[in-house]
Amino acid sequence: MRQLYIGGSWTASASDEFIDVVNPATEEIIDRVPAGSPDDVESAAGAARRAFPGWSETAASERGKLLGDAAELLKQRSEEIAKTIATDMGAPLGFARKVQTLMPATVLSSYAQLAESHPRESRIGNSMVVKEPIGVVAAITPWNYPLHQIVCKVAPALAAGCTVVLKPSEVAPLAAYALAEIFAEVGLPPGVFNLVSGRGPVVGEAMAAHPEVDMVSFTGSTAAGRRVAALAAESVKRVALELGGKSANVILPDADLALAVKVGVANCFVNAGQTCSAWTRMIVHRDQYDEAVRLAVEAARGYTVGDPFDESTRIGPLVSATQRARVVRYINRGQEEGARLVAGGTERPHERGYYVEPTVFAAVEPGMTIEREEIFGPVLSLIPYTSEDQAVAIANDTKYGLAGAVWAATEDRAVGVARRLRTGQVAINGGRFNPLAPFGGYKQSGVGRELGEQGLEEYLETKAMQL
């Protein structure tokens, strides 16, 4: 049973209620975390406010050293933390080790360097322009990448000189506790980082509305993001939002079809499809459509669903019973609206655990529910097109704009189409994810950017001094 981390100490919550943490592979309760209260938010925000003057004036080199020390400890404990994530979130251990743990360590290391190297002053004519930390940051993070999404917010905020109150997802909170222990061990000053666990409508909303909070950074659903933004607007806080996606994988006729389909299926199914940037819509020329469907079905059959600790597992369970029920509803809806189920479905592959088979739909038309809405499960929709203009139109015909991909015989042609996509990131011919490049979306996929220098800039204010 856990406590909250406020003002440099582990402390009991003002609430006497706890939330069960469930292993999604076994459906067993493995831990309990406090269901925090507005009083806990008050304490954490106060601690962060008191710590802000000292932390913001701490030498950038010292802030960077502390973050660097934390990154090293995170690397040293990566196996232990990966096992924690595989247990409370359900990611296969190999994926939990490499992507869920070591990638956040890389991001943390990058901000240890940027804390000192990112320029804070410039001259424009007779003006000195300086960048200063915005103040107290409320970070509200999701369960699908429970450590990475925390580091994407906390690391740049601390590097900038801000103090932080974190609310991790109550569904998979244990990696957040591991990070809090690391920060305490490396000597982060009291109040610079605070952790309040709890539910979004209680703790998250109290954080977004709190008068001592200067900025809210939220990752989650678009609906919840709208609520956070509305609460923050009452006190005119800065808001950064990383929200949903329905990303398109556009395969042009001259591309390597087999490779594009294979990589596209892998991207759609990564983390059991619980990835906001997943390429869930595969857009293929009508002349190649039947072959693409065949290749996608063949690839899907190679994804073993099972125990996250089994080395042969490629897809673990969904994170909760609620999430599984959501995905099953979408699979049923797809069939009801006329899409053709060609792989997977709603049958349980295992007696226990919140598992869903990797699922592929053919005969998907623009406007169908499974083509429009974010499912957040291992469900791929294949959509035909007849011209490049139509492919671009289908890709852009969504309220989202987070990620996507383009495949073509040449990089130049792929880039030409990518420039027409209204989305924050585009992979060209399978270009790998870069954790140092800015990440964020257009339209209802969010506001602002995470990662790299642009991620750091989100936590800085600009002041001009006329000399």
Side-chain angles (χ1 to χ4, degrees):
M1 197 153 54
R2 308 291 177 132
Q3 292 184 306
L4 308 180
Y5 187 71
I6 298 175
S9 299
W10 292 103
T11 183
S13 170
S15 165
D16 58 4
E17 184 184 355
F18 284 82
I19 300 169
D20 292 334
V21 181
V22 176
N23 180 335
T26 65
E27 304 182 36
E28 297 172 346
I29 297 171
I30 56 173
D31 211 332
R32 302 176 80 204
V33 297
S37 70
D39 287 342
D40 296 320
V41 174
E42 181 71 27
S43 297
R49 174 58 62 195
R50 291 188 294 274
F52 175 67
W55 181 246
S56 64
E57 293 169 8
T58 298
S61 58
E62 178 61 18
R63 292 200 302 267
K65 181 182 183 305
L66 287 168
L67 292 177
D69 291 345
E72 286 305 310
L73 265 185
L74 181 53
K75 291 173 187 175
Q76 291 172 24
R77 298 178 185 176
S78 61
E79 188 67 16
E80 173 190 345
I81 294 173
K83 289 177 180 177
T84 296
I85 294 172
T87 302
D88 80 343
M89 185 264 154
L93 182 58
F95 183 79
R97 183 185 297 123
K98 182 178 180 182
V99 176
Q100 297 272 22
T101 309
L102 290 178
M103 186 167 69
T106 298
V107 173
L108 190 52
S109 294
S110 75
Y111 283 113
Q113 298 169 17
L114 283 169
E116 188 171 8
S117 66
H118 187 70
R120 297 293 181 94
E121 294 187 6
S122 61
R123 291 292 294 265
I124 303 174
N126 70 312
S127 297
M128 178 185 294
V129 180
V130 298
K131 299 293 183 69
E132 300 176 342
I134 195 168
V136 175
V137 174
I140 304 172
T141 57
W143 46 259
N144 60 328
Y145 290 86
L147 180 60
H148 177 67
Q149 293 292 351
I150 289 170
V151 169
C152 284
K153 301 179 188 306
V154 172
L158 296 181
C162 299
T163 55
V164 176
V165 179
L166 167 69
K167 190 204 87 66
S169 169
E170 71 276 16
V171 177
L174 302 184
Y177 279 84
L179 184 63
E181 290 166 357
I182 287 173
F183 282 150
E185 192 166 330
V186 300
L188 206 65
V192 170
F193 171 82
N194 306 273
L195 186 159
V196 181
S197 59
R199 297 183 175 89
V202 178
V203 173
E205 293 202 4
M207 287 166 60
H210 199 283
E212 291 289 358
V213 170
D214 300 294
M215 174 180 173
V216 183
S217 181
F218 171 84
T219 296
S221 71
T222 297
R226 285 195 292 266
R227 176 63 177 164
V228 167
L231 289 167
E234 291 296 319
S235 50
V236 198
K237 301 183 195 323
R238 181 180 296 180
V239 177
L241 302 173
E242 200 271 278
L243 307 176
K246 194 66 181 177
S247 301
N249 180 17
V250 179
I251 304 175
L252 299 177
D254 60 352
D256 182 334
L257 182 66
L259 179 62
V261 171
K262 179 181 177 181
V263 175
V265 169
N267 183 282
C268 180
F269 292 163
V270 71
N271 207 35
Q274 299 168 129
T275 301
C276 54
S277 57
W279 309 338
T280 53
R281 297 183 297 150
M282 185 177 289
I283 302 175
V284 186
H285 195 277
R286 193 170 293 279
D287 291 346
Q288 298 173 313
Y289 187 77
D290 290 344
E291 177 64 7
V293 170
R294 186 191 69 77
L295 290 168
V297 170
E298 182 181 311
R301 287 174 178 159
Y303 281 77
T304 305
V305 179
D307 181 355
F309 288 89
D310 186 329
E311 291 186 1
S312 67
T313 293
R314 298 184 72 183
I315 293 184
L318 299 182
V319 76
S320 66
T322 299
Q323 188 62 23
R324 186 184 187 280
R326 169 191 169 91
V327 173
V328 166
R329 284 197 300 272
Y330 275 110
I331 294 173
N332 288 332
R333 185 70 177 272
Q335 295 177 86
E336 290 165 4
E337 292 185 1
R340 182 162 51 92
L341 185 69
V342 291
T346 61
E347 294 297 319
R348 286 184 177 271
H350 300 285
E351 187 176 335
R352 299 193 71 185
Y354 309 127
Y355 294 97
V356 171
E357 291 279 6
T359 297
V360 179
F361 276 104
V364 178
E365 296 294 334
M368 287 184 174
T369 300
I370 59 171
E371 192 269 341
R372 304 291 288 180
E373 297 184 14
E374 185 176 43
I375 298 172
F376 231 58
V379 181
L380 174 66
S381 295
L382 280 90
I383 306 151
Y385 71 89
T386 55
S387 69
E388 186 176 298
D389 286 346
Q390 186 188 25
V392 171
I394 292 170
N396 286 336
D397 185 22
T398 170
K399 66 182 180 181
Y400 299 113
L402 188 56
V406 180
W407 298 79
T410 67
E411 182 176 288
D412 285 348
R413 185 178 182 200
V415 167
V417 172
R419 289 183 184 276
R420 301 174 65 190
L421 301 185
R422 299 286 295 167
T423 187
Q425 284 208 343
V426 186
I428 303 299
N429 285 337
R432 70 181 186 277
F433 180 77
N434 180 359
L436 305 182
F439 181 88
Y442 290 25
K443 298 185 280 187
Q444 292 189 35
S445 283
V447 177
R449 293 294 181 269
E450 294 186 330
L451 300 175
E453 291 189 1
Q454 288 83 354
L456 181 60
E457 288 282 346
E458 294 288 335
Y459 300 91
L460 296 173
E461 285 280 24
T462 302
K463 176 185 290 180
M465 293 180 283
Q466 279 58 259
L467 306 179

